[in-house]
DNA sequence: AAGGTAATTAGGTAATTGCTTAATTAACGA
DNA sequence: TCGTTAATTAAGCAATTACCTAATTACCTT
């Protein structure tokens, strides 16, 4: 059993990757940050400017997203540049859906339906 | 703009569907419940038996999952039968991934890869 | 109607979250 | 080297969460 997705109730080890990802996604500001980064990489300051929230607060959100493996941090001079790592998000969510809705059926169909809807409006 | 996914920062109305789903998923016990229900419907008691947690605690988790539209509650005599609603989960997660990783590309590919992996081991 | 079981609601508490402001670290430019 | 800007770390606080036990509601059986 190479599960890991649901075993994080057991107190044995640290928090588990899936738990980190789902926790990261449970916050509206953090999802909003992901959405911003999906368009282009941004510095911490540029991200903070888009929120009614102190810079340190945004910085914490960024660190949670980074720990979850959803974004990447790159120091460039005095700026810190953040960008999206799509893979972990897609793998985790998809893995979970596969677990809960056995076989790829539902999400594949939905995904295709949505793709069609976007192509032909 | 019929977004709604990221607008829940605005204090206008109540909590927003996506927020409820993501919050519901941020808890390991709740994800575990969904996994149990993916195999078959269960009564509240049968679910509680699978956890080292009081019945009322499990009941709360069930109510959060129900409010998020992820599970369905059906009273059958003195028992309460719970079962999965796949649609909301799939729609929300997929919608979010579409938002963050534009066009259906990544999750569709991943989904297919995983489906293949399960079919031919 | 009485007693038993299933489940939820109510009330309380310790731990965690999500922010704030102040202090610190690091890099740039004159 | 000094002042400025970018970003994080630190410290503190109000509000929320996640659980518990006790009480309640609903239904079934006799």
């Amino acid at each position: 059993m190479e599960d890991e997705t649901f075993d994080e109730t057991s107190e044995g080890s640290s928090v588990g990757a899936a738990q980190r990802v789902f926790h990261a996604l449970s916050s509206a500001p953090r999802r909003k940050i992901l959405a911003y980064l999906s368009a282009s990489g941004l510095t911490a300051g540029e991200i903070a400017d888009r929120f009614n929230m102190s810079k340190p607060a945004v910085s914490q959100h960024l660190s949670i997203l980074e720990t979850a493996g959803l974004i990447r941090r790159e120091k460039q001079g005095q700026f810190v540049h953040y960008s999206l790592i799509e893979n972990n998000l897609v793998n985790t969510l998809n893995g979970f859906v596969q677990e809960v809705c056995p076989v790829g059926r539902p999400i594949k169909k939905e995904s295709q339906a949505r793709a069609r809807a976007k192509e032909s409006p």
Side-chain angles (χ1 to χ4, degrees), chain A:
Chain A
M1 263 244 197
E2 16 60 282
D3 190 327
E4 212 257 339
T5 310
F6 304 113
D7 283 3
E8 32 219 8
T9 304
S10 43
E11 358 100 63
S13 67
S14 53
V15 180
Q19 175 58 37
R20 276 193 297 272
V21 170
F22 280 110
H23 170 251
L25 293 178
S26 72
S27 145
R30 288 196 286 270
R31 291 198 300 280
K32 203 167 165 181
I33 289 173
L34 292 180
Y36 284 139
L37 291 180
S38 78
S40 77
L42 294 168
T43 67
E46 289 171 322
I47 295 169
D49 287 345
R50 289 166 163 75
F51 288 90
N52 273 335
M53 203 186 297
S54 70
K55 257 162 104 93
V58 172
S59 189
Q60 268 222 94
H61 285 304
L62 289 169
S63 127
I64 287 168
L65 288 168
E66 195 199 2
T67 299
L70 296 176
I71 64 177
R72 165 180 19 247
R73 203 193 110 99
E74 261 170 305
K75 185 141 201 188
Q76 292 181 0
Q78 76 192 124
F79 296 85
V80 175
H81 204 81
Y82 284 96
S83 58
L84 203 66
I85 304 175
E86 291 184 347
N87 273 351
N88 195 14
L89 175 66
V90 171
N91 287 342
T92 303
L93 294 190
N94 192 57
F96 178 68
V97 169
Q98 295 294 332
E99 204 73 51
V100 169
C101 313
V103 201
R105 179 175 37 77
I107 201 164
K108 207 157 63 183
K109 271 171 79 173
E110 254 304 301
S111 182
Q112 287 163 349
R114 278 187 171 263
R116 270 197 306 276
K118 283 218 168 173
E119 280 156 18
S120 53

